[in-house]
Amino acid sequence: MNFDLKTLELPAATTEKCDLLVILVPEGFKPGQDALSVLVAHALKCGDLEAKAGKHLHLYQAPAVSARRVVLLGAGNGSARAVRQALQAIAASFKLPQVKRAVVCFAGEAQPDSVCAAVQAVADASYVYTTTKPKAEARTLNRVVVGVAHAQAVREAFAQGVGLVEGVEFAREWGNRPANHATPSLLAEAARSLGRQPGIQCKVHGPAEVARLGMGAFMAVAQGSEEPLRLIELRYSGASKTEAPVVLVGKGITFDAGGISIKPAAEMDEMKFDMCGAASVLGVFRALGELQPAINVVGLIPACENMPDGRAVKPGDVVTSMSGQTIEILNTDAEGRLVLCDVLTYAARFKPAAVVDIATLTGACVIALGAVRSGLFANNDALASALSAAGDAAQDLCWRMPLDEDYAEGLKSNFADMGNVAGRAGGSITAAKFLQRFVGEFPWAHLDIAGSAWKGGAAKGATGRPVGLLVHYLLGRAQQLSAKDAVKKPAPSVPTRRNVRTKPT
Ligand code: BES
Ligand code: MN
Ligand code: ZN
């Protein structure tokens, strides 16, 4: 889908040719003399429209207006949150087969982050999964113009929104693919395709290399499947080599049947989403490729299936992780922590500034936080605050959970350094405590996205979360780094690289 930003106020919007014109009407709207202003003012006065976020009025072939369909849409206080909420309320309009070209026009001043939110909300509303669906049902909306009073003032936020949308949609599409269309090898191919973007390199390791690295826990999960495992390694280099990278680790279980500790049949299909952590890492790299921020990022994805089989790992088996610590696998369905622990050990090689793992790790996290906030665990307060603030800014929320050592009590084993499960109580926390045992001397955070990565029921599908949170966090870091650089070398005579570049043309 193509997005354009344009300086466009209500008088010009009146004659804008498109299939759908949406006017975002904020509280305290000041009408002009043009036809649209008059319409809005009238509707407000008569009580047929309210400026409250999401309230709206549909018009068809309104006199003196070129667009066939017009929606007057309350935008509340005009904040990013309100604009998003408003556009969500009319989501169905962006999916109409007759709507190919839409214009979303801000009446009054537009905040930069509200413009970013508008781009995301329109993309979200019009997204249609395509990989295994008939072409005829694909998205029809193909051009969206965002109209604001001063385009120049919001250009950077707009570009950020567009880059973010690319990343979120990439994550959603891969998350939604059925497991037979998203095998570990296919996931690796997707990562390789990202390696064609500027600044991105991709390496893929197979079973032999993973065995050589001594990743006994990861291999134990993969051994019950006919599909060979993949360890995907992505690098984005936007800053000098001396700048320590942020390492993102994404759980890539392309199907979680539970292994020998097999899951019940009901809703087992949803375990195709167990690679949404991996999909979010791919999505972040897609966005980095678009936005080209001045920062270094490494993405690591352990990808495999968790299946029952004659060769599958059995409850009670003891394996040796890459760290040398032994693990008694008491429940083969607690496989996420097993693939992640070895990659957390591996992450230390990159001398990271921070490591963030992202995983659909526990059903217990769904019970604790539902679908609204992802679970955030961290061994470092500054990293936790930065991630949580990024979540707020991106409207991709998370909530910090505890890591008291007392929670690790249940991981004790009579036959190994630790068991892989610790009873039902506090299940998302004990899982995080397990991971923490493999974390080196670096700031680390763990995002449990079991509740936020996909929706069940009639709206079943991947959400693309937490790509927004992660990209906001990384762009914030890029900004910090460049501010630090500016202090180091004052008053550059030539313009330095900008934090966020738009796509080279
Ligand atoms: N992928 C699941 C977690 C999950 C379950 C996510 C339901 C979303 C919805 C994970 O591998 C798993 O099976 N976890 C177990 C852990 C338990 C055996 C300690 C769980 O949460 O039940
Ligand atoms: Mn499982
Ligand atoms: Zn799982």
Side-chain angles (χ1 to χ4, degrees), residues 12-104:
T14 314
T15 55
E16 189 74 13
K17 287 197 183 62
C18 58
D19 304 307
L20 171 68
L21 172 63
V22 178
I23 306 291
L24 284 161
V25 181
E27 285 154 2
F29 166 73
K30 294 198 185 53
Q33 301 297 311
D34 59 282
L36 277 166
S37 283
V38 171
L39 271 173
V40 172
H42 238 105
L44 285 169
K45 192 167 159 220
C46 302
D48 290 310
L49 177 69
E50 284 176 60
K52 207 171 144 209
K55 295 281 181 190
H56 59 274
L57 184 61
H58 289 265
L59 314 175
Y60 194 73
Q61 290 189 334
V65 180
S66 302
R68 184 180 293 261
R69 294 165 205 81
V70 178
V71 182
L72 309 180
L73 179 61
N77 62 6
S79 68
R81 193 182 141 86
V83 165
R84 180 178 167 148
Q85 203 186 336
L87 289 165
Q88 268 168 356
I90 60 155
S93 302
F94 295 105
K95 273 194 174 155
L96 290 174
Q98 310 92 301
V99 173
K100 298 187 177 65
R101 189 172 182 276
V103 175
V104 175

Side-chain angles (χ1 to χ4, degrees), residues 165-354:
V165 162
E166 291 290 337
V168 168
E169 295 199 348
F170 198 79
R172 284 181 84 173
E173 195 67 17
W174 277 96
N176 283 331
R177 282 188 180 217
N180 62 332
H181 292 262
T183 60
S185 311
L186 288 168
L187 222 51
E189 289 306 310
R192 277 218 179 87
S193 78
L194 294 175
R196 288 198 287 269
Q197 287 180 285
I200 299 183
Q201 285 170 298
C202 175
K203 239 196 276 178
V204 177
H205 309 286
E209 181 69 27
V210 166
R212 215 168 312 138
L213 288 165
M215 296 186 163
F218 179 16
M219 288 194 299
V221 176
Q223 76 189 43
S225 168
E226 294 290 321
E227 290 289 340
L229 65 77
R230 292 288 181 265
L231 173 59
I232 302 166
E233 198 173 313
L234 282 158
R235 271 173 195 254
Y236 168 75
S237 314
S240 106
K241 277 202 176 72
T242 57
E243 207 63 70
V246 171
V247 177
L248 304 178
V249 179
K251 172 178 173 183
I253 299 296
T254 58
F255 191 74
D256 181 12
I260 296 298
S261 316
I262 196 164
K263 287 185 181 291
E267 288 164 15
M268 204 207 266
D269 66 292
E270 295 192 10
M271 283 300 125
K272 72 172 183 178
F273 293 117
D274 212 18
M275 37 60 75
C276 281
S280 75
V281 173
L282 296 178
V284 167
F285 273 78
R286 181 80 184 80
L288 291 173
E290 290 291 323
L291 298 169
Q292 298 285 309
I295 186 181
N296 295 330
V297 186
V298 173
L300 301 173
I301 296 171
C304 70
E305 290 182 340
N306 185 26
M307 299 288 279
D309 181 76
R311 274 192 296 263
V313 71
K314 301 170 292 297
D317 284 2
V318 173
V319 298
T320 304
S321 65
M322 185 182 177
S323 71
Q325 299 177 94
T326 56
I327 303 162
E328 185 186 10
I329 300 180
L330 289 162
N331 188 324
T332 65
D333 198 11
E335 85 297 340
R337 62 197 78 181
L338 295 173
V339 304
L340 292 171
C341 71
D342 279 338
V343 177
L344 286 172
T345 302
Y346 186 67
R349 302 196 160 189
F350 299 92
K351 302 197 169 47

